[in-house]
Amino acid sequence: MRVDGARATRVWALDIHLPIANLTVDVLLLLGVGGVLGVLSGLFGVGGGFLVSPLLIFIGVPAPVAVASGSMMVLGTSVSGFMAHLRRGNVDFKMGGVLIVGGALGSALGAWIFQLLRAIGQIELVVPVLYVVILGTVGLTMVWESVGALLRQRRNPVAVQQRIRRRTWHHRLPLKVRFRKSKLYISALLPAGVSFFVGLLSAVMGVGGGFIMVPAMIYLIGMPVLVVVGTSLLQITFVMANVTFLLALNTHTVDALLALLLLVGAAAGAQFGTRLGARLHGVHMRVLLALLVLGVAARLSFGLVAPPETMFTVEVERLVQ
Amino acid sequence: MTASQAPSRHAGRAASAAGALALALMAAAPAAAADAECQAGGEAIVADLSTHTIAVDARFAGTEVLVFGAIGCPGDVVVTVRGPRRQMTVREKTKLAGIWVNGRSVTFTDAPVLYAIAATSPPERILPAQVRQARSIGLDELYLPVDRTPDDLDRFRGAMIDFQQQRALYTKQPLPVDFIGHRLFRASIWFPASVPTGQYIADVYLVRDNAVIGAHSMALSVYRGGFEARMFDIANERPALYGAAAVLAAVAVGWVVGMLFQRP
């Protein structure tokens, strides 16, 4: 970690000064961080967004720039991961279309809320709290479900095709559409509503929302697991494109250079991660992901509750010249 | 060696009777006589900077700026460098329902983004507080207007100064001023990688008998150079274009890498 301003003599001189983040960092550090995030993206179908913002803040990027630039990075990794799943034919475009509409509307509202929070100076509070609540809830649910599935599988050595129980509460909703690829005949309002909510959170937290979308698609909508990852990446791509554009337009905090460097590492990592994911057993993957999500939630809640390193934060006005 | 040791050396090298007389007068008379002597010779103090521009580009990792000059007569030298003014908001964390949130805040409406000071002697010993406040000599003497004045304003002010110090943008303890001979001086000022763009002002003062008897002011401009500048400008002035380009760039990179790893 480099302390900005320190005059330590460097042996390694591959530094770059990021214009909008106003930070000088090691290029290899950014590529490495991107690579790790990319592997997670390909492996679990999550954009890696829930890790990128905290990681960027940790290396010294101002919080608003971290969230905005992270969105741009997630956009790129999602495109890369989506292409890998597209080649395998695991995408339900019709469902994706509905999800995109809901996500676009939700993220537009979310971007506006992000601006508002930034104006009243409470981004640093709201974003971590949201992370903890969402990640904690999702993580706990996932651990519960996946560990249960793992135990069931252990008891019964024969591989059982897990058919998630369909809930009947949403059968009464209007606008029913046949989603052939997902083998579903359900109301379009359900996926649209889920993606609206996820899009809203995505924009405020700077995440792709994959870690909410994937469980939601499996449990709430009832899609087969095979199609879920590819389709969610499609939705994330559109939502993140929307968020990146809106944040750049309204808050000028997207640091394209930072995002592109992370992206180069991450896009490569995503390809590797997808290949790795194909080899891992589905249930093991779910357990791993659940534990990862919980781990991040625990770390963040510790950060909120533990006495802060400095009692004061200073925000310097960014003057446009 | 400080400038105030010069008289004895001067006395040792007296080249003419007039010179010796002038020196005797100087030693005996108050600052006014010294002024006259300085005036007769020209400026009491002159100075220049090693550079008047700093271009911040992708490879910028901070740079050293040299303030150098010459004094016309003995005295202490004080150098200050002040950056452009910005608004800085200091927020205090308080515990709310078990978690730490941002609570009270104070906004310093007109604070310099950078403040550096170098001197041959501690400024508080050679100048009265009034003069230091008027000339912004010393971090504690800086006039920093605020939007509100709570009882513990000092804590907020201290926090802001600490924050800037950590980023190597504020200097609390004066840096040294080195002398070559007894007229030429130099001071090294560090501009860290995160220096904001704008106009910076470097002032040099010649101090004697609790008063400033000579001053010189110089300007330095920090600006964004290279393709970085264009990127920053576009991000702020044409955000729609920048946003669209950012989206396309991200998609393009993701797409290209996706294609690269295609299985045959």
Side-chain angles (χ1 to χ4, degrees), chain B residues 88-103:
Chain B
M88 297 191 199
T89 306
V90 183
R91 295 195 170 89
E92 182 180 27
K93 281 191 156 51
T94 91
K95 210 163 186 185
L96 183 75
I99 59 175
W100 289 92
V101 305
N102 284 332

Side-chain angles (χ1 to χ4, degrees), chain B residues 148-229:
Chain B
R148 49 184 225 97
T149 43
D151 292 332
D152 55 350
L153 177 63
D154 284 336
R155 288 176 66 227
F156 286 85
R157 189 185 160 114
M160 194 262 286
I161 290 173
D162 284 341
F163 173 78
Q164 290 286 85
Q165 265 190 289
Q166 272 162 16
R167 296 162 75 212
L169 290 168
Y170 275 10
T171 322
K172 211 172 172 93
Q173 286 293 84
L175 301 162
V177 173
D178 299 317
F179 264 82
I180 307 137
H182 42 264
R183 287 198 184 276
L184 279 171
F185 68 87
R186 52 180 264 173
S188 174
I189 308 290
W190 176 252
F191 279 68
S194 60
V195 281
T197 56
Q199 291 295 105
Y200 290 67
I201 302 171
D203 288 304
V204 292
Y205 304 104
L206 181 61
V207 176
R208 192 186 165 81
D209 294 326
N210 283 324
V212 171
I213 59 170
H216 191 97
S217 202
M218 297 151 284
L220 186 148
S221 181
V222 174
Y223 63 92
R224 254 173 218 90
F227 117 97
E228 283 238 325

Side-chain angles (χ1 to χ4, degrees), chain B residues 130-144:
Chain B
Q130 254 178 314
V131 177
R132 283 181 280 134
Q133 275 161 13
R135 301 237 188 214
S136 295
I137 294 174
L139 210 49
D140 294 326
E141 281 67 37
L142 274 185
Y143 172 61
L144 296 169

Side-chain angles (χ1 to χ4, degrees), chain B:
Chain B
M1 190 201 91
T2 64
S4 48
Q5 285 171 14
S8 53
R9 292 192 183 225
H10 271 271
R13 288 203 289 110
S16 64
L21 184 63
L23 281 158
L25 276 172
M26 196 170 75
D35 271 324
E37 200 251 20
C38 282
Q39 240 84 82
E43 302 96 342
I45 185 166
V46 288
D48 196 7
L49 300 170
S50 58
T51 178
H52 286 273
T53 58
I54 295 178
V56 173
D57 62 1
R59 302 286 303 153
F60 183 67
T63 189
E64 183 187 64
V65 172
L66 221 53
V67 183
F68 58 92
I71 53 172
C73 49
D76 279 301
V77 173
V78 177
V79 179
T80 65
V81 178
R82 286 171 291 157
R85 312 219 124 207
R86 295 268 198 282
Q87 193 168 276
M88 297 191 199
T89 306
V90 183
R91 295 195 170 89
E92 182 180 27
K93 281 191 156 51
T94 91
K95 210 163 186 185
L96 183 75
I99 59 175
W100 289 92
V101 305
N102 284 332
R104 297 150 67 230
S105 72
V106 171
T107 300
F108 293 87
T109 52
D110 207 31
V113 293
L114 180 139
Y115 185 84
I117 179 168
T120 48
S121 304
E124 61 270 17
R125 278 210 261 136
I126 55 174
L127 281 174
Q130 254 178 314
V131 177
R132 283 181 280 134
Q133 275 161 13
R135 301 237 188 214
S136 295
I137 294 174
L139 210 49
D140 294 326
E141 281 67 37
L142 274 185
Y143 172 61
L144 296 169
V146 288
D147 63 340
R148 49 184 225 97
T149 43
D151 292 332
D152 55 350
L153 177 63
D154 284 336
R155 288 176 66 227
F156 286 85
R157 189 185 160 114
M160 194 262 286
I161 290 173
D162 284 341
F163 173 78
Q164 290 286 85
Q165 265 190 289
Q166 272 162 16
R167 296 162 75 212
L169 290 168
Y170 275 10
T171 322
K172 211 172 172 93
Q173 286 293 84
L175 301 162
V177 173
D178 299 317
F179 264 82
I180 307 137
H182 42 264
R183 287 198 184 276
L184 279 171
F185 68 87
R186 52 180 264 173
S188 174
I189 308 290
W190 176 252
F191 279 68
S194 60
V195 281
T197 56
Q199 291 295 105
Y200 290 67
I201 302 171
D203 288 304
V204 292
Y205 304 104
L206 181 61
V207 176
R208 192 186 165 81
D209 294 326
N210 283 324
V212 171
I213 59 170
H216 191 97
S217 202
M218 297 151 284
L220 186 148
S221 181
V222 174
Y223 63 92
R224 254 173 218 90
F227 117 97
E228 283 238 325
R230 244 166 275 138
M231 186 186 261
F232 186 87
D233 290 338
I234 296 173
N236 284 287
E237 285 157 29
R238 306 184 61 185
L241 178 68
Y242 181 83
V247 168
L248 286 172
V251 171
V253 172
W255 194 279
V256 164
V257 178
M259 299 295 276
L260 280 174
F261 284 79
Q262 197 161 26
R263 232 176 260 168

